Amino acid sequence: MEDRGFFLTLQAIRRQLGAMPNDLYLVRLIHHRTRQAFPGERLWTAEQLATAALVRFLRVRNREGCDVYVQPYAGNENAGYILVDLDHTRPTTIATMRAHGHDPCVVLQTSPGHLQAWIRLSASPLKPALASAAGKLLAAAYGGDPASTDWRHLGRLAGFTNQKPARRKPGGQAPWVKVVSVQTGMAPQAE
């Protein structure tokens, strides 16, 4: 019998990927101490990422100190999703994004006070230069991290812990990456 944590992780993965539909997702595991990527980058469908065996594998690697990252994959182009890394966001930032028509399809809390927002700008792939430029504009507009704006930047996969030592709770526990909100579809002001 599976534990409650397994089902919470599975539910978080399904919620996140359900709001970011794509044919394939690139998953990368990076060990927090060594900053080394786990051997091999894998491409998975949403269905494959939600299988019990893969969720168990990712949970074990996460417990061993690997952060779990994901990106909708479109080969040498951006899949139409832009990540805005909001490390020091104001409580009104997401509401402001929505008011300006830049509605995130997924908002994750990566640790207390730190958010990541995925905004869908296109149903078809975007050229790298265009996606990077859009990422820079969105980061500048909403106080996002300018170092996290390139066209292929990875975001966290919900349901796993954030292994960064600086994000640890006072007792030393790693915070969980949680789904704050999901909303399928393109941002109204995607253009």
Side-chain angles (χ1 to χ4, degrees), residues 125-156:
L126 299 171
K127 297 291 181 196
L130 178 60
S132 292
K136 287 182 189 328
L137 287 172
L138 290 165
Y142 301 111
D145 180 357
S148 301
T149 59
D150 66 281
W151 65 275
R152 60 181 172 218
H153 205 81
L154 297 162
R156 295 207 178 254

PDB file of all heavy atoms in Angstrom, residues 125-156:
ATOM      1  N   PRO A 125       4.928  26.202 -30.949  1.00  0.00           N
ATOM      2  CA  PRO A 125       6.259  26.541 -30.451  1.00  0.00           C
ATOM      3  C   PRO A 125       6.705  27.944 -30.834  1.00  0.00           C
ATOM      4  O   PRO A 125       6.329  28.475 -31.877  1.00  0.00           O
ATOM      5  CB  PRO A 125       7.156  25.479 -31.101  1.00  0.00           C
ATOM      6  CG  PRO A 125       6.248  24.323 -31.341  1.00  0.00           C
ATOM      7  CD  PRO A 125       4.925  24.949 -31.713  1.00  0.00           C
ATOM      8  N   LEU A 126       7.520  28.516 -29.956  1.00  0.00           N
ATOM      9  CA  LEU A 126       8.080  29.850 -30.156  1.00  0.00           C
ATOM     10  C   LEU A 126       9.569  29.735 -30.446  1.00  0.00           C
ATOM     11  O   LEU A 126      10.255  28.871 -29.890  1.00  0.00           O
ATOM     12  CB  LEU A 126       7.903  30.704 -28.897  1.00  0.00           C
ATOM     13  CG  LEU A 126       6.482  30.972 -28.422  1.00  0.00           C
ATOM     14  CD1 LEU A 126       6.496  31.638 -27.050  1.00  0.00           C
ATOM     15  CD2 LEU A 126       5.755  31.846 -29.434  1.00  0.00           C
ATOM     16  N   LYS A 127      10.062  30.603 -31.288  1.00  0.00           N
ATOM     17  CA  LYS A 127      11.500  30.668 -31.556  1.00  0.00           C
ATOM     18  C   LYS A 127      12.224  31.058 -30.262  1.00  0.00           C
ATOM     19  O   LYS A 127      11.694  31.845 -29.466  1.00  0.00           O
ATOM     20  CB  LYS A 127      11.809  31.691 -32.657  1.00  0.00           C
ATOM     21  CG  LYS A 127      11.203  31.332 -33.995  1.00  0.00           C
ATOM     22  CD  LYS A 127      11.885  30.110 -34.575  1.00  0.00           C
ATOM     23  CE  LYS A 127      11.295  29.743 -35.927  1.00  0.00           C
ATOM     24  NZ  LYS A 127      11.648  28.402 -36.325  1.00  0.00           N
ATOM     25  N   PRO A 128      13.418  30.529 -30.035  1.00  0.00           N
ATOM     26  CA  PRO A 128      14.141  30.815 -28.800  1.00  0.00           C
ATOM     27  C   PRO A 128      14.310  32.307 -28.499  1.00  0.00           C
ATOM     28  O   PRO A 128      14.109  32.735 -27.363  1.00  0.00           O
ATOM     29  CB  PRO A 128      15.491  30.125 -29.004  1.00  0.00           C
ATOM     30  CG  PRO A 128      15.172  28.973 -29.902  1.00  0.00           C
ATOM     31  CD  PRO A 128      14.109  29.522 -30.843  1.00  0.00           C
ATOM     32  N   ALA A 129      14.672  33.105 -29.489  1.00  0.00           N
ATOM     33  CA  ALA A 129      14.883  34.540 -29.251  1.00  0.00           C
ATOM     34  C   ALA A 129      13.599  35.222 -28.800  1.00  0.00           C
ATOM     35  O   ALA A 129      13.617  36.063 -27.890  1.00  0.00           O
ATOM     36  CB  ALA A 129      15.426  35.210 -30.508  1.00  0.00           C
ATOM     37  N   LEU A 130      12.484  34.869 -29.416  1.00  0.00           N
ATOM     38  CA  LEU A 130      11.197  35.460 -29.038  1.00  0.00           C
ATOM     39  C   LEU A 130      10.796  35.041 -27.623  1.00  0.00           C
ATOM     40  O   LEU A 130      10.374  35.872 -26.813  1.00  0.00           O
ATOM     41  CB  LEU A 130      10.113  35.054 -30.034  1.00  0.00           C
ATOM     42  CG  LEU A 130       8.698  35.551 -29.736  1.00  0.00           C
ATOM     43  CD1 LEU A 130       8.647  37.074 -29.710  1.00  0.00           C
ATOM     44  CD2 LEU A 130       7.716  34.989 -30.752  1.00  0.00           C
ATOM     45  N   ALA A 131      10.955  33.757 -27.309  1.00  0.00           N
ATOM     46  CA  ALA A 131      10.590  33.267 -25.975  1.00  0.00           C
ATOM     47  C   ALA A 131      11.475  33.893 -24.901  1.00  0.00           C
ATOM     48  O   ALA A 131      10.985  34.276 -23.829  1.00  0.00           O
ATOM     49  CB  ALA A 131      10.683  31.749 -25.929  1.00  0.00           C
ATOM     50  N   SER A 132      12.770  34.030 -25.171  1.00  0.00           N
ATOM     51  CA  SER A 132      13.673  34.656 -24.195  1.00  0.00           C
ATOM     52  C   SER A 132      13.316  36.126 -23.994  1.00  0.00           C
ATOM     53  O   SER A 132      13.320  36.623 -22.869  1.00  0.00           O
ATOM     54  CB  SER A 132      15.134  34.522 -24.644  1.00  0.00           C
ATOM     55  OG  SER A 132      15.539  33.173 -24.600  1.00  0.00           O
ATOM     56  N   ALA A 133      12.995  36.817 -25.083  1.00  0.00           N
ATOM     57  CA  ALA A 133      12.603  38.228 -24.974  1.00  0.00           C
ATOM     58  C   ALA A 133      11.318  38.368 -24.165  1.00  0.00           C
ATOM     59  O   ALA A 133      11.200  39.258 -23.312  1.00  0.00           O
ATOM     60  CB  ALA A 133      12.432  38.840 -26.365  1.00  0.00           C
ATOM     61  N   ALA A 134      10.356  37.493 -24.407  1.00  0.00           N
ATOM     62  CA  ALA A 134       9.105  37.526 -23.635  1.00  0.00           C
ATOM     63  C   ALA A 134       9.383  37.253 -22.164  1.00  0.00           C
ATOM     64  O   ALA A 134       8.810  37.908 -21.285  1.00  0.00           O
ATOM     65  CB  ALA A 134       8.125  36.499 -24.196  1.00  0.00           C
ATOM     66  N   GLY A 135      10.258  36.295 -21.877  1.00  0.00           N
ATOM     67  CA  GLY A 135      10.622  35.997 -20.490  1.00  0.00           C
ATOM     68  C   GLY A 135      11.248  37.192 -19.801  1.00  0.00           C
ATOM     69  O   GLY A 135      10.923  37.499 -18.650  1.00  0.00           O
ATOM     70  N   LYS A 136      12.117  37.898 -20.497  1.00  0.00           N
ATOM     71  CA  LYS A 136      12.759  39.086 -19.923  1.00  0.00           C
ATOM     72  C   LYS A 136      11.728  40.181 -19.635  1.00  0.00           C
ATOM     73  O   LYS A 136      11.770  40.827 -18.585  1.00  0.00           O
ATOM     74  CB  LYS A 136      13.844  39.611 -20.861  1.00  0.00           C
ATOM     75  CG  LYS A 136      15.088  38.746 -20.883  1.00  0.00           C
ATOM     76  CD  LYS A 136      16.142  39.342 -21.788  1.00  0.00           C
ATOM     77  CE  LYS A 136      17.323  38.436 -22.035  1.00  0.00           C
ATOM     78  NZ  LYS A 136      17.737  37.546 -21.007  1.00  0.00           N
ATOM     79  N   LEU A 137      10.810  40.400 -20.578  1.00  0.00           N
ATOM     80  CA  LEU A 137       9.777  41.424 -20.389  1.00  0.00           C
ATOM     81  C   LEU A 137       8.869  41.092 -19.205  1.00  0.00           C
ATOM     82  O   LEU A 137       8.558  41.959 -18.381  1.00  0.00           O
ATOM     83  CB  LEU A 137       8.943  41.584 -21.658  1.00  0.00           C
ATOM     84  CG  LEU A 137       9.623  42.277 -22.832  1.00  0.00           C
ATOM     85  CD1 LEU A 137       8.762  42.183 -24.082  1.00  0.00           C
ATOM     86  CD2 LEU A 137       9.928  43.725 -22.493  1.00  0.00           C
ATOM     87  N   LEU A 138       8.450  39.838 -19.124  1.00  0.00           N
ATOM     88  CA  LEU A 138       7.566  39.439 -18.018  1.00  0.00           C
ATOM     89  C   LEU A 138       8.289  39.508 -16.680  1.00  0.00           C
ATOM     90  O   LEU A 138       7.716  39.950 -15.676  1.00  0.00           O
ATOM     91  CB  LEU A 138       7.006  38.039 -18.273  1.00  0.00           C
ATOM     92  CG  LEU A 138       5.990  37.950 -19.412  1.00  0.00           C
ATOM     93  CD1 LEU A 138       5.766  36.498 -19.828  1.00  0.00           C
ATOM     94  CD2 LEU A 138       4.676  38.603 -19.002  1.00  0.00           C
ATOM     95  N   ALA A 139       9.547  39.098 -16.647  1.00  0.00           N
ATOM     96  CA  ALA A 139      10.317  39.180 -15.402  1.00  0.00           C
ATOM     97  C   ALA A 139      10.481  40.636 -14.970  1.00  0.00           C
ATOM     98  O   ALA A 139      10.322  40.960 -13.791  1.00  0.00           O
ATOM     99  CB  ALA A 139      11.681  38.515 -15.570  1.00  0.00           C
ATOM    100  N   ALA A 140      10.785  41.516 -15.914  1.00  0.00           N
ATOM    101  CA  ALA A 140      10.951  42.934 -15.589  1.00  0.00           C
ATOM    102  C   ALA A 140       9.634  43.548 -15.108  1.00  0.00           C
ATOM    103  O   ALA A 140       9.614  44.330 -14.158  1.00  0.00           O
ATOM    104  CB  ALA A 140      11.477  43.698 -16.803  1.00  0.00           C
ATOM    105  N   ALA A 141       8.542  43.170 -15.740  1.00  0.00           N
ATOM    106  CA  ALA A 141       7.236  43.745 -15.389  1.00  0.00           C
ATOM    107  C   ALA A 141       6.762  43.320 -13.998  1.00  0.00           C
ATOM    108  O   ALA A 141       6.086  44.089 -13.316  1.00  0.00           O
ATOM    109  CB  ALA A 141       6.196  43.348 -16.434  1.00  0.00           C
ATOM    110  N   TYR A 142       7.125  42.098 -13.580  1.00  0.00           N
ATOM    111  CA  TYR A 142       6.550  41.570 -12.337  1.00  0.00           C
ATOM    112  C   TYR A 142       7.585  41.258 -11.254  1.00  0.00           C
ATOM    113  O   TYR A 142       7.284  40.574 -10.278  1.00  0.00           O
ATOM    114  CB  TYR A 142       5.704  40.328 -12.651  1.00  0.00           C
ATOM    115  CG  TYR A 142       4.591  40.681 -13.610  1.00  0.00           C
ATOM    116  CD1 TYR A 142       4.589  40.212 -14.913  1.00  0.00           C
ATOM    117  CD2 TYR A 142       3.566  41.535 -13.215  1.00  0.00           C
ATOM    118  CE1 TYR A 142       3.581  40.558 -15.799  1.00  0.00           C
ATOM    119  CE2 TYR A 142       2.564  41.898 -14.102  1.00  0.00           C
ATOM    120  CZ  TYR A 142       2.574  41.408 -15.391  1.00  0.00           C
ATOM    121  OH  TYR A 142       1.583  41.775 -16.261  1.00  0.00           O
ATOM    122  N   GLY A 143       8.793  41.749 -11.421  1.00  0.00           N
ATOM    123  CA  GLY A 143       9.812  41.544 -10.394  1.00  0.00           C
ATOM    124  C   GLY A 143      10.384  40.143 -10.375  1.00  0.00           C
ATOM    125  O   GLY A 143      10.833  39.667  -9.337  1.00  0.00           O
ATOM    126  N   GLY A 144      10.397  39.482 -11.533  1.00  0.00           N
ATOM    127  CA  GLY A 144      10.954  38.142 -11.620  1.00  0.00           C
ATOM    128  C   GLY A 144      12.468  38.158 -11.693  1.00  0.00           C
ATOM    129  O   GLY A 144      13.095  39.202 -11.909  1.00  0.00           O
ATOM    130  N   ASP A 145      13.058  37.012 -11.516  1.00  0.00           N
ATOM    131  CA  ASP A 145      14.508  36.854 -11.559  1.00  0.00           C
ATOM    132  C   ASP A 145      14.978  36.971 -13.005  1.00  0.00           C
ATOM    133  O   ASP A 145      14.647  36.119 -13.838  1.00  0.00           O
ATOM    134  CB  ASP A 145      14.871  35.486 -10.977  1.00  0.00           C
ATOM    135  CG  ASP A 145      16.356  35.210 -10.976  1.00  0.00           C
ATOM    136  OD1 ASP A 145      17.148  36.051 -11.479  1.00  0.00           O
ATOM    137  OD2 ASP A 145      16.750  34.146 -10.470  1.00  0.00           O
ATOM    138  N   PRO A 146      15.768  38.001 -13.338  1.00  0.00           N
ATOM    139  CA  PRO A 146      16.219  38.167 -14.724  1.00  0.00           C
ATOM    140  C   PRO A 146      17.162  37.050 -15.181  1.00  0.00           C
ATOM    141  O   PRO A 146      17.325  36.829 -16.381  1.00  0.00           O
ATOM    142  CB  PRO A 146      16.924  39.523 -14.721  1.00  0.00           C
ATOM    143  CG  PRO A 146      17.255  39.804 -13.305  1.00  0.00           C
ATOM    144  CD  PRO A 146      16.250  39.068 -12.468  1.00  0.00           C
ATOM    145  N   ALA A 147      17.757  36.316 -14.258  1.00  0.00           N
ATOM    146  CA  ALA A 147      18.654  35.220 -14.627  1.00  0.00           C
ATOM    147  C   ALA A 147      17.886  33.954 -15.007  1.00  0.00           C
ATOM    148  O   ALA A 147      18.490  32.979 -15.444  1.00  0.00           O
ATOM    149  CB  ALA A 147      19.609  34.922 -13.474  1.00  0.00           C
ATOM    150  N   SER A 148      16.571  33.972 -14.838  1.00  0.00           N
ATOM    151  CA  SER A 148      15.745  32.781 -15.120  1.00  0.00           C
ATOM    152  C   SER A 148      14.791  33.025 -16.279  1.00  0.00           C
ATOM    153  O   SER A 148      13.647  32.607 -16.254  1.00  0.00           O
ATOM    154  CB  SER A 148      14.950  32.408 -13.869  1.00  0.00           C
ATOM    155  OG  SER A 148      15.801  32.137 -12.800  1.00  0.00           O
ATOM    156  N   THR A 149      15.268  33.711 -17.324  1.00  0.00           N
ATOM    157  CA  THR A 149      14.361  34.128 -18.389  1.00  0.00           C
ATOM    158  C   THR A 149      14.640  33.496 -19.749  1.00  0.00           C
ATOM    159  O   THR A 149      13.955  33.815 -20.708  1.00  0.00           O
ATOM    160  CB  THR A 149      14.404  35.659 -18.557  1.00  0.00           C
ATOM    161  OG1 THR A 149      15.742  36.054 -18.861  1.00  0.00           O
ATOM    162  CG2 THR A 149      13.917  36.371 -17.311  1.00  0.00           C
ATOM    163  N   ASP A 150      15.627  32.610 -19.835  1.00  0.00           N
ATOM    164  CA  ASP A 150      15.914  32.074 -21.163  1.00  0.00           C
ATOM    165  C   ASP A 150      14.800  31.140 -21.620  1.00  0.00           C
ATOM    166  O   ASP A 150      14.029  30.622 -20.823  1.00  0.00           O
ATOM    167  CB  ASP A 150      17.286  31.378 -21.204  1.00  0.00           C
ATOM    168  CG  ASP A 150      17.339  30.136 -20.356  1.00  0.00           C
ATOM    169  OD1 ASP A 150      17.486  30.268 -19.126  1.00  0.00           O
ATOM    170  OD2 ASP A 150      17.218  29.045 -20.917  1.00  0.00           O
ATOM    171  N   TRP A 151      14.736  30.892 -22.896  1.00  0.00           N
ATOM    172  CA  TRP A 151      13.638  30.178 -23.551  1.00  0.00           C
ATOM    173  C   TRP A 151      13.468  28.744 -23.088  1.00  0.00           C
ATOM    174  O   TRP A 151      12.409  28.167 -23.227  1.00  0.00           O
ATOM    175  CB  TRP A 151      13.823  30.211 -25.057  1.00  0.00           C
ATOM    176  CG  TRP A 151      15.036  29.465 -25.553  1.00  0.00           C
ATOM    177  CD1 TRP A 151      16.316  29.946 -25.635  1.00  0.00           C
ATOM    178  CD2 TRP A 151      15.085  28.132 -26.038  1.00  0.00           C
ATOM    179  NE1 TRP A 151      17.148  28.985 -26.131  1.00  0.00           N
ATOM    180  CE2 TRP A 151      16.425  27.853 -26.396  1.00  0.00           C
ATOM    181  CE3 TRP A 151      14.123  27.134 -26.220  1.00  0.00           C
ATOM    182  CZ2 TRP A 151      16.832  26.634 -26.917  1.00  0.00           C
ATOM    183  CZ3 TRP A 151      14.523  25.915 -26.734  1.00  0.00           C
ATOM    184  CH2 TRP A 151      15.866  25.669 -27.078  1.00  0.00           C
ATOM    185  N   ARG A 152      14.499  28.159 -22.518  1.00  0.00           N
ATOM    186  CA  ARG A 152      14.421  26.754 -22.110  1.00  0.00           C
ATOM    187  C   ARG A 152      14.599  26.573 -20.609  1.00  0.00           C
ATOM    188  O   ARG A 152      14.984  25.503 -20.148  1.00  0.00           O
ATOM    189  CB  ARG A 152      15.443  25.936 -22.882  1.00  0.00           C
ATOM    190  CG  ARG A 152      16.851  26.403 -22.634  1.00  0.00           C
ATOM    191  CD  ARG A 152      17.861  25.609 -23.408  1.00  0.00           C
ATOM    192  NE  ARG A 152      19.145  26.266 -23.235  1.00  0.00           N
ATOM    193  CZ  ARG A 152      20.043  26.382 -24.167  1.00  0.00           C
ATOM    194  NH1 ARG A 152      19.831  25.870 -25.344  1.00  0.00           N
ATOM    195  NH2 ARG A 152      21.174  26.982 -23.928  1.00  0.00           N
ATOM    196  N   HIS A 153      14.308  27.625 -19.848  1.00  0.00           N
ATOM    197  CA  HIS A 153      14.516  27.548 -18.402  1.00  0.00           C
ATOM    198  C   HIS A 153      13.564  26.528 -17.768  1.00  0.00           C
ATOM    199  O   HIS A 153      12.388  26.482 -18.090  1.00  0.00           O
ATOM    200  CB  HIS A 153      14.327  28.921 -17.755  1.00  0.00           C
ATOM    201  CG  HIS A 153      15.071  29.036 -16.472  1.00  0.00           C
ATOM    202  ND1 HIS A 153      16.415  29.317 -16.433  1.00  0.00           N
ATOM    203  CD2 HIS A 153      14.675  28.859 -15.199  1.00  0.00           C
ATOM    204  CE1 HIS A 153      16.809  29.332 -15.177  1.00  0.00           C
ATOM    205  NE2 HIS A 153      15.780  29.052 -14.412  1.00  0.00           N
ATOM    206  N   LEU A 154      14.110  25.734 -16.878  1.00  0.00           N
ATOM    207  CA  LEU A 154      13.341  24.711 -16.174  1.00  0.00           C
ATOM    208  C   LEU A 154      12.695  25.302 -14.931  1.00  0.00           C
ATOM    209  O   LEU A 154      13.272  26.172 -14.282  1.00  0.00           O
ATOM    210  CB  LEU A 154      14.269  23.572 -15.740  1.00  0.00           C
ATOM    211  CG  LEU A 154      14.957  22.808 -16.863  1.00  0.00           C
ATOM    212  CD1 LEU A 154      16.142  22.044 -16.322  1.00  0.00           C
ATOM    213  CD2 LEU A 154      13.985  21.871 -17.525  1.00  0.00           C
ATOM    214  N   GLY A 155      11.519  24.801 -14.605  1.00  0.00           N
ATOM    215  CA  GLY A 155      10.850  25.152 -13.362  1.00  0.00           C
ATOM    216  C   GLY A 155      10.716  23.909 -12.500  1.00  0.00           C
ATOM    217  O   GLY A 155      10.980  22.789 -12.944  1.00  0.00           O
ATOM    218  N   ARG A 156      10.293  24.103 -11.299  1.00  0.00           N
ATOM    219  CA  ARG A 156      10.146  22.968 -10.385  1.00  0.00           C
ATOM    220  C   ARG A 156       8.908  22.155 -10.733  1.00  0.00           C
ATOM    221  O   ARG A 156       7.928  22.684 -11.239  1.00  0.00           O
ATOM    222  CB  ARG A 156      10.063  23.466  -8.960  1.00  0.00           C
ATOM    223  CG  ARG A 156      11.387  24.127  -8.568  1.00  0.00           C
ATOM    224  CD  ARG A 156      11.604  24.051  -7.107  1.00  0.00           C
ATOM    225  NE  ARG A 156      12.886  24.635  -6.797  1.00  0.00           N
ATOM    226  CZ  ARG A 156      13.959  23.945  -6.452  1.00  0.00           C
ATOM    227  NH1 ARG A 156      13.909  22.645  -6.366  1.00  0.00           N
ATOM    228  NH2 ARG A 156      15.088  24.559  -6.167  1.00  0.00           N
TER     229      ARG A 156
END
